[in-house]
Amino acid sequence: MTNALELPPNSNSGGNLAGLSDAEAASLIARFGFNELPSSKPRSLFKIALEVVREPMLLLLLACGSTYLFLGDIKEAIILLIFVVVVIAITLYQERKTERALEALRDLSSPRALVVRGGQRKRIAGREVVPGDILVLSEGDRVPADSVLLSAVNLSTDESLLTGESVPVRKQAASDHTEMAPPGGDDLPFVFSGTLVVRGTGLALAKATGLQTQLGRIGKSLREMEQEPTLLQRDTRRMVRVLALAGLGLCILLVVFYGLTRGDWLRGFLAALTLAMAILPEELPVVLTVFLALGAWRMSRNRVLTRCMPAIEMLGAATALCVDKTGTLTMNQMSVTRLYAKGETYDFSKQPASAVPEEFHELAEFAMLASQPDPFDPMDRAIRKLGAEALQGTEHLHASWKVVREYPLAKSLLAISEVWVSPDSSQFVIATKGAPEAIADLCHMEEEDAAHLNESVAGMAAEGLRVLGVAKARVSSTILPDQQHDFDFEFLGLLALADPVRPTVSSAIQECQTAGIRVIMITGDYPGTAMSIARQIGLESADGAISGPEIAAMDDQTLRDRVAKANVFARSVPEQKLQLVNALKANGEIVAMTGDGVNDSPALKAAHIGIAMGQRGTDVAREAADLVLLDDDFSSIVKAVRLGRRIFDNLKKAMAYIFAIHVPIAGLSLCAVLFRWPLILEPVHVAFLELIIDPACSIVFEAEEEEEDVMQRPPRSASEHLFNKQMVSMSLLQGFGVLVILLAIFAVALHRGQGEKDARALTFTALVIANVALIITNRSWSRNILAILRTPNSAMWWVVGSALVFLALVLYVPFLKVLFHFSTLHPADIALCASAGAVSIAWCETLKAVQRRRGS
């Protein structure tokens, strides 16, 4: 395969690693297009409109309009068709708002790439990578473009997406200008778009993007964030089906009853259609879609990306947050603050790095050699910076040396070794760094020396410093051993790194504790360091810090008992996160777990809510997670929990309102037939009410701010249903109370001889005002009406204002008044209807007060 896209003359082709400028990148995007493959397009307005027209409510409206045309009532038919257009317009607005929110989420969730632009590392969306970009590849990354390797350190990739072979493929850097070739075989200098870096690091020159990549050539498509139905959506659809079937049965009975008792089968059919419109709560699935999509969009504004919608439902039930220390609780801005070698200590807070004495030079030298040559890890960057400052101008810097092998961190040995070779020597030089106890083990320290070392480590760890041991070894053999223990290591000393705690963490921890959520810190640090950080952020642990080796020695039951009390786990490896998640789940906890590495993905998938780090996390971790923390800040998780609780609360309020308002609408339609009264509501009246109900339940309640006590109450039970007995009974009582008031108004008006049109106008006006009352009072079940009115919600005032304006139009515009079969209402009539609304509010407020007393 030849170079898929010919690079412009001024682009980098290796050697100069400054990368492209932003202007060059923009020019290449304009020339070659974005680095993306064909994918499903967002729904067009026409497609959304087509889906809306198939909704049951609109089909019922069209059926009613057709019936009026058959009866010869052209005016009624036209007004119903106008309502169809208005309902479509409102639904289109809601759907487009939801679609835009989902589009924004898809953009955020697209793969990210680390590139060198203008000499600076820059993380960009994968779709913005262009031919000529210098790519920085690390373990866990997905390769964003077909590329040639400029440098590689123990780099292996998983190319199973392209070849079907699951065994990782070794890579090596290109020795000269190399043309791209197809995948297959070890020790080639090519990496391919969509493949996964499973080990090592590298720099690569992007050669082909988009459709010109191997992935594009075989017709693969990008993975998108699929919006699968959630548990709530399935429950809601089931509820709609049940109510629809019940409504259908009632409608059939109503047609038969009306036809037999009044002899007017056509009017009976119209009354049945009206009842169907009144019973069918078609707003439920719409409300769920809007709430979940806009909820995910709101979370993204708080720097939390939702990749899996059910996570929003689970956030309000989370009882345990398991978090990494480095970068989540701390700033991830490490710096070396202290060196310890040959019994002496050098403190950088008191002396500059440039004045480091000779006796510490070897320690700094081998700490550098044990770090990645081109590090992305903040700890390695700090060590490299120390070496550059402390060893400048000395013989301890080795630009010509090359790494030939790496011994990675393992569960059984918390140490990493780099094997180097010098061009002027046949010897291998091995530099290792890791947990002090692991380094002591590798060096086969005497018991007395190990005890003295532990005292020094404990002293630094008690100050919250992260402590690493450093050792060296040399071998002349051409064959390297399989494990680090086979080297003859010499202990060089300790270095301590500081990583300041994020300023927002302490208050966020306190907020979690008030909300009944346990925060559990999991770190690879020394137990003393972990406990020091825990004290700084106000995290208490009854069992102190439990170490990784202790976890390894426990059986499942012991771990379950210990994890119930301990909140700090130190010296743990990524694989033990899965053990902790399973132990917490076995104890009945709803677990949120953070992670960033490839090995974290099993724990992220096992947790109820997996949270990946957006900045330092690998693509594998992000793909395994439900949420992605875009700024890696713990306080963003707490904001997400707060928002998750708010979304669930507001969803319950919206559902309660829908149930409540449908009771009087359906009741008026049914009772008019049963009591042999004139029809109170006709299709045009129900259609008018839908213009209020739709935006109220999906806009007003979605925009409602959280309750004041949202983070001062324990998490809700994970088994709590949205349509629980308390919510349904509260809604039915609200609705029945309004229905009784409306029936009384209609019956009294008829009894006083005011006439059918007068009674209908009075009842409908009272219903609209009662509807407004239900919207206002259901905004909160914990606050009274006066407190609710003091709480801002601009969407509510727009909906309420529009409802009252439209009501005035149908009451006093002659043409509309005739269409709605109303008579003229006088000020005294309006006052009566307003009083009915006030009584409705009083009834709902009484129910809320009774419920609050029962709850307390």
Side-chain angles (χ1 to χ4, degrees):
M1 173 178 159
T2 58
N3 209 20
L5 292 175
E6 193 65 32
L7 296 179
N10 64 340
S11 67
N12 294 286
S13 58
N16 175 18
L17 298 183
L20 301 172
S21 67
D22 288 338
E24 287 174 324
S27 173
L28 288 167
I29 287 177
R31 179 179 171 187
F32 297 122
F34 284 106
N35 178 31
E36 56 190 2
L37 305 181
S39 59
S40 60
K41 295 180 180 178
R43 293 182 302 167
S44 64
L45 275 176
F46 176 76
K47 186 175 180 181
I48 295 174
L50 203 59
E51 292 175 2
V52 169
V53 170
R54 293 200 296 263
E55 288 294 323
M57 180 60 68
L58 288 177
L59 293 177
L60 288 171
L61 279 172
L62 290 172
C64 292
S66 302
T67 304
Y68 277 120
L69 280 175
F70 182 79
L71 292 173
D73 197 336
I74 305 297
K75 290 181 179 180
E76 290 278 5
I78 290 174
I79 198 67
L80 283 178
L81 290 176
I82 291 173
F83 274 125
V84 167
V85 172
V86 174
V87 170
I88 289 176
I90 291 174
T91 310
L92 280 178
Y93 169 77
Q94 293 170 338
E95 290 282 348
R96 279 304 297 157
K97 190 174 181 181
T98 301
E99 194 72 20
R100 283 195 296 270
L102 293 177
E103 286 170 16
L105 292 175
R106 291 189 192 105
D107 290 341
L108 279 172
S109 64
S110 66
R112 318 301 284 175
L114 187 64
V115 300
V116 179
R117 293 265 177 96
Q120 300 293 321
R121 294 186 182 207
K122 186 176 183 181
R123 193 167 290 278
I124 62 174
R127 68 192 298 267
E128 296 174 7
V129 170
V130 294
D133 262 327
I134 304 295
L135 308 175
V136 182
L137 303 176
S138 302
E139 180 179 317
D141 289 346
R142 284 216 178 268
V143 180
D146 287 4
S147 312
V148 174
L149 285 167
L150 304 176
S151 67
V153 179
N154 295 317
L155 188 69
S156 297
T157 63
D158 177 358
E159 296 181 350
S160 58
L161 181 69
L162 300 174
T163 65
E165 295 294 332
S166 59
V167 178
V169 181
R170 291 193 311 273
K171 299 293 179 180
Q172 65 178 15
S175 56
D176 53 17
H177 184 75
T178 307
E179 299 294 334
M180 291 293 299
D186 288 321
D187 300 322
L188 294 175
F190 313 117
V191 289
F192 300 94
S193 177
T195 61
L196 174 67
V197 179
V198 295
R199 184 181 178 188
T201 60
L203 286 177
L205 175 67
K207 288 296 190 85
T209 57
L211 287 171
Q212 301 303 315
T213 62
Q214 285 285 333
L215 188 64
R217 284 173 179 266
I218 61 176
K220 298 289 184 181
S221 61
L222 287 175
R223 294 181 64 181
E224 290 185 310
M225 188 173 69
E226 298 291 339
Q227 303 302 316
E228 298 179 355
T230 68
L231 178 62
L232 279 179
Q233 287 172 322
R234 291 194 294 270
D235 286 347
T236 301
R237 289 169 186 173
R238 191 180 303 114
M239 177 69 73
V240 171
R241 283 197 299 270
V242 169
L243 291 175
L245 289 173
L248 178 63
L250 277 175
C251 291
I252 294 172
L253 291 175
L254 186 64
V255 171
V256 174
F257 182 81
Y258 198 100
L260 291 176
T261 57
R262 304 194 188 187
D264 191 342
W265 291 92
L266 200 54
R267 284 285 174 184
F269 177 69
L270 202 58
L273 287 177
T274 305
L275 180 63
M277 292 171 62
I279 289 178
L280 182 65
E282 55 89 28
E283 304 92 352
L284 295 184
V286 175
V287 167
L288 269 178
T289 302
V290 170
F291 267 68
L292 293 178
L294 292 185
W297 173 74
R298 289 185 188 278
M299 284 192 179
S300 72
R301 296 179 68 188
N302 283 320
R303 312 295 295 157
V304 178
L305 170 65
T306 306
R307 296 190 71 255
C308 182
M309 288 299 181
I312 297 177
E313 303 170 22
M314 293 301 297
L315 273 172
T319 60
L321 291 181
C322 300
V323 295
D324 296 306
K325 177 184 74 68
T326 303
T328 308
L329 300 177
T330 61
M331 297 288 288
N332 203 24
Q333 296 174 356
M334 286 191 169
S335 60
V336 179
T337 60
R338 204 168 300 173
L339 299 177
Y340 172 84
K342 301 174 183 177
E344 300 293 327
T345 301
Y346 189 85
D347 192 338
F348 290 97
S349 65
K350 300 175 182 176
Q351 297 158 292
S354 57
V356 173
E358 175 67 30
E359 58 263 33
F360 295 99
H361 282 187
E362 192 175 32
L363 170 61
E365 172 192 1
F366 278 86
M368 278 186 70
L369 291 174
S371 303
Q372 293 291 338
D374 188 29
F376 182 62
D377 180 81
M379 182 173 66
D380 282 3
R381 285 208 306 268
I383 293 171
R384 284 267 163 188
K385 181 181 178 183
L386 162 71
E389 294 176 351
L391 304 178
Q392 189 65 41
T394 72
E395 73 280 8
H396 296 285
L397 295 176
H398 310 288
S400 61
W401 289 18
K402 290 185 178 180
V403 176
V404 294
R405 182 167 176 179
E406 178 184 84
Y407 292 86
L409 196 75
K411 182 177 181 179
S412 56
L413 184 65
L414 298 176
I416 184 170
S417 294
E418 302 281 352
V419 182
W420 295 79
V421 65
S422 162
D424 354 330
S425 171
S426 58
Q427 276 194 328
F428 291 116
V429 176
I430 301 93
T432 187
K433 74 174 189 295
E437 63 271 24
I439 301 300
D441 181 30
L442 287 173
C443 295
H444 306 292
M445 270 191 181
E446 297 291 338
E447 188 174 334
E448 184 179 344
D449 293 334
H452 183 64
L453 177 67
N454 286 338
E455 287 179 15
S456 301
V457 171
M460 288 187 276
E463 299 177 40
L465 301 177
R466 182 169 189 175
V467 187
L468 294 176
V470 179
K472 70 173 183 177
R474 294 179 187 271
V475 293
S476 301
S477 171
T478 57
I479 301 175
L480 292 169
D482 292 332
Q483 54 184 351
Q484 299 178 71
H485 273 292
D486 293 333
F487 292 110
D488 186 15
F489 280 108
E490 176 189 345
F491 182 75
L492 295 178
L494 303 171
L495 55 84
L497 300 99
D499 186 8
V501 171
R502 290 181 183 268
T504 57
V505 166
S506 294
S507 58
I509 293 282
Q510 180 60 48
E511 191 171 10
C512 283
Q513 291 170 345
T514 305
I517 303 170
R518 287 179 61 198
V519 178
I520 299 170
M521 181 172 72
I522 304 172
T523 178
D525 274 355
Y526 192 77
T529 305
M531 288 304 297
S532 174
I533 297 296
R535 285 190 293 271
Q536 291 180 47
I537 62 177
L539 181 62
E540 298 179 358
S541 182
D543 258 11
I546 297 177
S547 68
E550 288 179 275
I551 295 174
M554 294 179 191
D555 58 31
D556 291 344
Q557 186 57 51
T558 304
L559 182 58
R560 285 181 57 182
D561 294 339
R562 296 292 299 279
V563 83
K565 299 177 182 177
N567 293 329
V568 179
F569 295 86
R571 279 290 181 258
S572 58
V573 293
E575 292 83 354
Q576 289 174 333
K577 286 186 175 182
L578 180 59
Q579 289 180 263
L580 293 172
V581 168
N582 289 333
L584 288 165
K585 288 170 67 176
N587 286 346
E589 304 271 12
I590 302 299
V591 185
M593 166 67 75
T594 68
D596 55 11
V598 175
N599 292 336
D600 290 337
S601 56
L604 292 174
K605 278 194 172 293
H608 297 98
I609 308 160
I611 305 172
M613 301 296 105
Q615 292 184 346
R616 71 179 192 276
T618 61
D619 286 342
V620 176
R622 285 191 286 269
E623 289 172 9
D626 304 302
L627 304 175
V628 178
L629 210 59
L630 297 178
D631 57 5
D632 293 5
D633 189 346
F634 174 75
S635 63
S636 295
I637 304 176
V638 182
K639 290 177 185 174
V641 172
R642 172 185 286 270
L643 190 53
R645 290 188 175 192
R646 165 189 162 175
I647 291 168
F648 193 83
D649 280 357
N650 288 347
L651 194 53
K652 284 181 67 175
K653 296 171 189 175
M655 296 299 183
Y657 161 73
I658 292 170
F659 269 87
I661 191 58
H662 275 274
V663 170
I665 297 173
L668 290 176
S669 302
L670 191 59
C671 289
V673 177
L674 295 179
F675 298 157
R676 306 196 66 178
W677 289 341
L679 291 180
I680 306 173
L681 297 180
E682 296 183 1
V684 67
H685 303 116
V686 179
F688 178 94
L689 291 167
E690 284 296 324
L691 297 184
I692 304 172
I693 296 170
D694 276 355
C697 60
S698 59
I699 297 176
V700 174
F701 290 105
E702 195 282 327
E704 186 66 23
E705 292 295 326
E706 68 265 16
E707 300 283 349
E708 291 180 358
D709 67 340
V710 71
M711 292 297 280
Q712 296 171 358
R713 58 178 189 245
R716 66 177 176 84
S717 169
S719 60
E720 179 182 338
H721 293 289
L722 184 63
F723 303 104
N724 57 34
K725 181 181 178 182
Q726 181 187 24
M727 187 272 274
V728 173
S729 60
M730 177 80 164
S731 301
L732 292 177
L733 285 172
Q734 285 184 341
F736 278 122
V738 172
L739 176 61
V740 169
I741 295 168
L742 298 176
L743 289 175
I745 289 175
F746 192 79
V748 169
L750 286 181
H751 182 71
R752 292 176 57 190
Q754 288 182 256
E756 175 186 329
K757 291 184 178 181
D758 220 20
R760 182 179 293 112
L762 276 169
T763 306
F764 184 78
T765 303
L767 174 57
V768 171
I769 295 174
N771 187 8
V772 169
L774 284 173
I775 294 172
I776 296 172
T777 192
N778 276 290
R779 282 179 55 196
S780 174
W781 287 5
S782 63
R783 290 170 286 152
N784 60 41
I785 188 67
L786 296 178
I788 291 173
L789 291 174
R790 288 196 297 266
T791 307
N793 186 326
S794 57
M796 184 201 73
W797 295 115
W798 277 105
V799 170
V800 170
S802 300
L804 295 179
V805 168
F806 290 147
L807 177 62
L809 291 175
V810 300
L811 285 175
Y812 297 109
V813 173
F815 170 71
L816 294 176
K817 187 168 63 173
V818 171
L819 284 176
F820 277 75
H821 307 293
F822 288 163
S823 64
T824 301
L825 293 186
H826 301 96
D829 300 321
I830 298 296
L832 174 64
C833 296
S835 300
V839 173
S840 300
I841 289 178
W843 168 245
C844 293
E845 289 297 304
T846 301
L847 290 174
K848 283 160 58 175
V850 171
Q851 183 190 17
R852 283 197 296 269
R853 276 199 296 272
R854 285 181 178 174
S856 60

